[in-house]
């Protein structure tokens, strides 16, 4: 509870207590006068009984406030000293029992002539009223107690209750009902007595509860490749636990294609809807890059078999235009640019997906065709952004031109299409454009300085550039 709300509650409580105490005190002091006044006006019921009943009522109010204060102090102390956070149900039982005892004491004190024991045991009417009126309430109450004692689930767990499959996160277990918040942010109250009769599926908060997502492929797509591609795509998605690697397996050989399932373990089960959706999205992008295909119903099966190369896709003009706008390719002839465009392969990445991972081997470079990427290095376990690259920028040249592992992570900031250019195509370009190697070595030396931390940036820019130049020439077998 926030501090101002807590203070407001205390002030309200103190004011209510003061008023109740004052009213009781005044009534007690003027009881004789009130009685005399009533005697003049009414005969039945006797003024004596009326005054005592009002006294009982006022004492009841004071007693209730007293019990609430006792409750707050007692459970507040238990939480402060021993970190025991008593459930609402226990607090309510405490209040009800303490209040009933106080009221009974006050009753016997104010009405000594009434034999309460006899009243309870002999009054058939009382029994019937209690039996009928409190049937549901008592049912809920005792079911609530058994839920508290068993503790099959706790606040924060996800549960699915009964045939209607009410699903949500448990917010409260009171003496009457279980309150759950559904994934549409609605509140559902399920009476304890109903819950006690229904099956309840529990997904405890601290437990890794598995989820299963389905997808399919064409019969022509290799299962080994599909399983590898999907497992890699899923394990990197947010909220997928690293403790148990996702499992991808064939579920059945269906009418339209091979049916698969991915079993994964969300870190926070309450977010499974978003995570399932993210996984489907990642599978789509991974399929597109790997040339895998979802299985359509048989009658539309032949309609779409998209080739991966964007040029073969009829997008050649746009690709050649994009490449000719890249600074380093500006000196290339139209034929050379067309050759590069034909060799380029397009890949689409989802926002947040990794295009290049630091430390991996790499034999190609990329040009950002649409979208944006971020270049990141890990420094003391934390990511540091080195650069953000936009449409027309290139990356991945360092590993391609030197044969060394990738120097940084590059991840898509939005849906991003990149054009991948491989070793062979670049070698052909270098053979006819020796100056390009020099320009590139200069850019790479500059980028290396951006990658280095303050302390290890020792080599001067021209030294570094000369070193890279000869490394590229060696790697591509060009004349030194
Ligand atoms: P490579 O090492 O193959 O893979 C990671 C890529 O990140 C790298 O090639 C460069 O293309 C790119 N990169 C590294 N440092 C920078 C930088 N300072 N500015 C822009 N891009 C960079």
């Amino acid at each position: 509870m926030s501090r101002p709300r807590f203070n407001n509650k205390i002030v309200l409580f103190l004011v209510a207590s003061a008023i109740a105490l004052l009213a009781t005190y005044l009534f007690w002091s003027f009881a004789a006068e009130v009685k005399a006044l009533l005697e003049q006006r009414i005969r039945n019921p006797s003024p004596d009984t009326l005054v005592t009943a009002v006294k009982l009522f006022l004492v009841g109010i004071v007693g209730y406030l007293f019990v609430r204060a006792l409750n707050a102090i007692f459970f507040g102390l238990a939480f402060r000293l021993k970190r025991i956070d008593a459930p609402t149900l226990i607090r309510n039982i405490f209040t009800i029992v303490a209040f009933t005892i106080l009221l009974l004491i006050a009753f016997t004190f104010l009405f000594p002539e009434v034999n309460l024991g006899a009243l309870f045991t002999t009054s058939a009417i009382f029994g019937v009223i209690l039996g009928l009126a409190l049937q549901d309430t008592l049912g809920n109450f005792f079911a609530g107690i058994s839920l508290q004692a068993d503790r099959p689930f706790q606040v924060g767990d996800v549960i699915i209750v009964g045939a209607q499959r009410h699903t949500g996160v448990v917010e409260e277990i009171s003496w009457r009902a279980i309150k759950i918040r559904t994934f549409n942010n609605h509140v559902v109250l399920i009476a304890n007595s109903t819950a006690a009769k229904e099956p309840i599926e529990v997904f405890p908060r601290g437990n890794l509860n598995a989820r299963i997502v389905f997808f399919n492929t064409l019969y022509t797509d290799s299962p080994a490749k599909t399983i590898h591609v999907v497992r890699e795509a899923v394990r990197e998605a947010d909220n997928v636990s690293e403790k148990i690697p996702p499992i991808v397996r064939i579920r059945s050989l269906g009418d339209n294609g091979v049916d698969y399932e991915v079993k994964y373990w969300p870190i926070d089960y309450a977010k499974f809807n978003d995570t399932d959706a993210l996984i489907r999205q990642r599978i789509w992008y991974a399929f597109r890059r790997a040339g895998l295909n979802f299985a359509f119903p048989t009658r539309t099966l032949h309609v779409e078999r998209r080739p991966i190369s964007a040029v073969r896709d009829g997008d050649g003009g746009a690709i050649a235009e994009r490449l000719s706008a890249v600074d380093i390719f500006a000196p290339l002839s139209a034929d050379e640019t067309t050759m590069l465009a034909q060799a380029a392969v397009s890949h689409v990445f989802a926002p947040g997906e990794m295009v290049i991972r630091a430390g991996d081997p790499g034999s190609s470079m990329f040009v950002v065709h649409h979208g944006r990427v971020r270049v990141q290095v890990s420094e003391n376990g934390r990511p540091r952004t080195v650069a953000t690259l936009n449409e027309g920028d290139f990356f991945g040249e360092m590993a391609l031109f030197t044969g060394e592992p990738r120097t940084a992570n590059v991840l898509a900031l939005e849906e991003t299409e990149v054009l991948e250019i491989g070793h062979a195509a670049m070698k052909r370009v270098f053979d006819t454009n020796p100056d390009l190697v020099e320009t590139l070595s200069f850019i790479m030396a500059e980028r290396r300085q951006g990658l280095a931390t303050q302390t290890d940036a020792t080599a001067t820019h021209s030294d570094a550039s000369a070193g890279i130049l000869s490394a590229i020439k060696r790697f591509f077998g060009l004349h030194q």
Side-chain angles (χ1 to χ4, degrees), residues 236 289 347 349 352-367 373-377 389 394-400 404-412 418-421 447:
E236 280 187 353
R289 287 194 299 276
H347 304 279
F349 288 85
E353 258 194 308
M354 204 82 98
V355 183
I356 277 182
R357 190 175 293 101
D360 281 357
S363 56
S364 53
M365 63 176 283
F366 301 84
V367 171
V373 297
R374 174 179 290 157
V375 182
Q376 267 182 348
V377 284
L389 304 177
F394 65 91
F395 60 91
E397 76 294 345
M398 291 186 174
L400 170 65
E404 287 165 10
R406 299 287 190 197
T407 52
N409 291 326
V410 178
L411 48 105
V418 294
L419 304 172
E420 185 177 16
I421 303 169
R447 287 187 166 183

Side-chain angles (χ1 to χ4, degrees), residues 166-167 178-182 186-190:
H166 293 299
T167 308
I178 302 164
K179 183 172 161 192
I180 62 174
R181 190 166 289 274
T182 69
H186 303 163
V187 171
V188 177
L189 291 169
I190 301 155

